[in-house]
Amino acid sequence: MSLLDRPVLRASAGAVSLVAVGALVLTAPATAADTTTPTTPATAARATSSVSAPLARGLYQSAYSERNDVLWATAAVGQPPAPVTGARLVKVDPDTMEVVSSYAPPLDATGQIRAAYGIDVDDEHNTVWVTDTRSHSVSVYSQRDGRHLATLPDVPHPREVVVDEARDTVWATAFGDGSLVAFDSRTFEETGRITVPGAGPTGLAVNERTGAAYAADFTHDRIIEAAPGAAAPRLIPTGDGPLSVALSADGRTAYTADQGTGTLSVVGLREGAVVATVPTGAGAKSVASHPRSGRVLVVNRLAGSVSVVDPRTRVVVETVTTAALPNHVQVTNDGTAYVLDKSASGPAGEDLITRVRLGASHR
């Protein structure tokens, strides 16, 4: 598949705890298990297919690089308060779902493993940005060779990171002190910090047209909007326990995956209010929007599924079954989604990657 066929929508998902134990294991090559649901002629035109393969223990999030045609994934093993026992930045072939390379993050200042959690890619500067949640920092790596380029401290409990290539800016959410922190993607210098006292920002998205950043405030059931030139952040109500946020292609609508109620909240940004609530499944955790069709994908962690939501009718039009504990979804323009789980269901206890291809009517 060509680079031009798979430009990525950047969307993030947050988490409150990491559920994984044991040593980190990488699998390469992986033998994919076909989990496609059989179709009839009447449904073949719209059917969504999926295929899964074991990848590594402790999988967390992924980000697709259009420039390099690779999928980057983070993996960290060790459930708090126990120490991290393994961590990797994993480079994956998105077509074969095999591990191409893996890189160990450097130790932090205390000699502990710098675990990798949130992730996004900067294709303009050919870098990968990763949140070191338990080390309270953000790290930058080279996409070319996985080399560690910088670690940026003083980001309390960073959860997510998202790149705004149009403005050479990278945003990170700091769950520990209610902040959204901005960095220059060229110099790695901090360029701004917006703090909402008492907030718990997790998921993160950016409107590259306007430069506005949107964070899901898990603590107070709202979205924090940080717009350029605004005197103060705007606080917009959403559903119960939002962990992840995504934007529609036109930037007028935000979507949150609401863990507390197992729903997708549709938030009109002009109205500053929830305009629809869509039940998706228990433990709704991660959300992403397909930019061409507008379809919204929601990972339901406890239900073990991904819901495909029509943004016009605001109903679930298809449900894709995954392995247990799906954690994150990444969607590309050609209708391919990559779901990472924490099922430990691989032959050596690895977590799985599931590639979901949306049917023709969903594109």
Side-chain angles (χ1 to χ4, degrees):
M1 189 173 299
S2 70
L3 295 181
L4 294 179
D5 286 338
R6 203 191 277 120
V8 68
L9 172 72
R10 292 175 174 82
S12 303
V16 176
S17 63
L18 177 68
V19 184
V21 295
L24 186 146
V25 175
L26 295 171
T27 300
T31 301
D34 190 353
T35 58
T36 303
T37 301
T39 60
T40 66
T43 62
R46 75 171 189 87
T48 290
S49 64
S50 63
V51 61
S52 299
L55 200 64
R57 287 183 179 173
L59 288 178
Y60 201 73
Q61 289 189 2
S62 69
Y64 175 74
S65 168
E66 178 185 355
R67 173 174 177 168
N68 299 291
D69 191 24
V70 298
L71 189 74
W72 291 92
T74 53
V77 174
Q79 183 176 357
V84 176
T85 58
R88 284 289 189 274
L89 180 61
V90 185
K91 186 177 183 180
V92 181
D93 183 314
D95 297 314
T96 66
M97 296 192 292
E98 295 177 2
V99 175
V100 176
S101 303
S102 69
Y103 307 97
L107 301 180
D108 65 20
T110 67
Q112 300 299 310
I113 295 172
R114 195 182 296 278
Y117 294 96
I119 187 172
D120 200 9
V121 297
D122 178 4
D123 274 348
E124 181 182 2
H125 302 105
N126 210 23
T127 54
V128 185
W129 290 68
V130 172
T131 60
D132 313 320
T133 302
R134 296 173 70 175
S135 299
H136 308 295
S137 60
V138 174
S139 289
V140 189
Y141 299 86
S142 166
Q143 287 202 65
R144 184 175 62 84
D145 56 12
R147 181 167 48 94
H148 175 254
L149 302 176
T151 291
L152 316 177
D154 304 321
V155 187
H157 204 87
R159 301 304 303 180
E160 311 300 330
V161 63
V162 66
V163 176
D164 180 355
E165 290 186 358
R167 292 166 184 78
D168 293 315
T169 298
V170 179
W171 289 91
T173 50
F175 184 83
D177 71 352
S179 295
L180 279 64
V181 186
F183 300 95
D184 187 308
S185 59
R186 300 160 298 182
T187 66
F188 308 153
E189 296 292 329
E190 182 177 325
T191 58
R193 186 177 293 246
I194 298 168
T195 300
V196 179
T202 51
L204 186 61
V206 67
N207 184 333
E208 289 200 19
R209 295 181 181 180
T210 66
Y214 297 85
D217 181 357
F218 179 79
T219 303
H220 293 291
D221 301 337
R222 62 193 179 187
I223 296 171
I224 302 170
E225 178 190 73
R234 180 186 180 205
L235 305 177
I236 305 168
T238 189
D240 182 10
L243 276 173
S244 176
V245 62
L247 300 175
S248 60
D250 61 11
R252 297 176 182 175
T253 305
Y255 305 101
T256 60
D258 308 323
Q259 186 185 61
T261 49
T263 56
L264 171 75
S265 286
V266 182
V267 181
L269 294 177
R270 289 181 177 177
E271 301 90 337
V274 175
V275 297
T277 300
V278 183
T280 59
K285 170 114 186 252
S286 176
V287 62
S289 174
H290 179 214
R292 289 183 180 169
S293 68
R295 291 290 200 259
V296 182
L297 280 75
V298 181
V299 162
N300 307 303
R301 183 181 175 91
L302 300 181
S305 65
V306 177
S307 299
V308 182
V309 178
D310 186 319
R312 299 170 185 84
T313 61
R314 295 166 182 170
V315 298
V316 174
V317 294
E318 196 160 2
T319 300
V320 180
T321 300
T322 68
L325 304 177
N327 200 65
H328 181 254
V329 60
Q330 166 82 67
V331 185
T332 63
N333 275 355
D334 73 339
T336 303
Y338 298 94
V339 179
L340 302 186
D341 66 47
K342 306 188 78 62
S343 66
S345 59
E350 308 97 329
D351 298 324
L352 306 186
I353 179 173
T354 298
R355 184 177 61 221
V356 179
R357 297 198 190 279
L358 295 178
S361 67
H362 297 333
R363 300 178 193 172

